[in-house]
Every structure is written in C-alpha cells, then in structure tokens.
Amino acid sequence: MNDDQTKVMSLRLPNELAAEVKALARAEEVSISEAIRAAIYRHIATRRADKRFQEKLKERLEEDLKTLEQLSASKDDAPKVPTSNP
C-alpha cells in the first residue's frame, strides 16, 4: 500500500479486544493494521447493503445540505441576528 494513499489514524481499543485483534492477525499471518482494515471494509460493505442505514444516511445528507446552504447564503439572504439593547 502506497503511503501517499493512506492516512494514519489512532485507535483506542479495550485491552481484551486489542488482544483478540492481535491473535486474529497472527493466525491469519497479516499485520494488525491489515486485520483492522479488513474488518472495516466488511463493516462498510454490510452498511452499504443495509437499506435502513442507507435511508438514515440519506436523511443526514439532506440535513447537512440544508445547513451548508444556510451557511453559504449571501449576507442579504441570511437571517438577521437580534441585537440586545442595554
């Protein structure tokens, strides 16, 4: 795997899960990173096939789009911010 195509990420695991990942990687004769990548790929594939998750994802994307549209509105179109009068 080319370093230009990867991102280093930190991951905290409970000791027991870390030991299981290490044992799994050793049994499969792969690195711990590769074992974790494989699990993540499987998880993403499962989510992509899950219709309920896809519906939730679409809802979130629509909410995010609305928020981004509001943020990118011109000054004239933006809602007025109330000011307090002391």
Side-chain angles (χ1 to χ4, degrees):
M1 189 174 297
N2 186 339
D3 284 343
D4 293 339
Q5 300 172 341
T6 63
K7 178 171 179 69
V8 175
M9 299 180 82
S10 178
L11 176 67
R12 288 189 186 272
L13 298 174
N15 289 336
E16 185 176 326
L17 182 57
E20 289 176 352
V21 170
K22 185 177 178 181
L24 182 130
R26 285 177 46 106
E28 292 183 346
E29 297 180 346
V30 298
S31 68
I32 292 172
S33 291
E34 183 56 35
I36 292 171
R37 274 192 298 273
I40 292 170
Y41 282 129
R42 284 190 302 273
H43 180 72
I44 290 171
T46 300
R47 290 314 220 180
R48 284 184 173 149
D50 182 342
K51 290 193 183 296
R52 198 170 83 204
F53 174 79
Q54 290 298 317
E55 289 169 6
K56 283 182 173 181
L57 183 59
K58 185 177 179 183
E59 289 172 14
R60 298 302 179 268
L61 288 170
E62 289 169 357
E63 290 171 6
D64 289 348
L65 179 59
K66 286 179 188 176
T67 301
L68 291 170
E69 286 172 345
Q70 289 172 346
L71 288 171
S72 68
S74 70
K75 254 184 163 178
D76 296 334
D77 296 338
K80 302 297 182 215
V81 177
T83 57
S84 60
N85 292 330

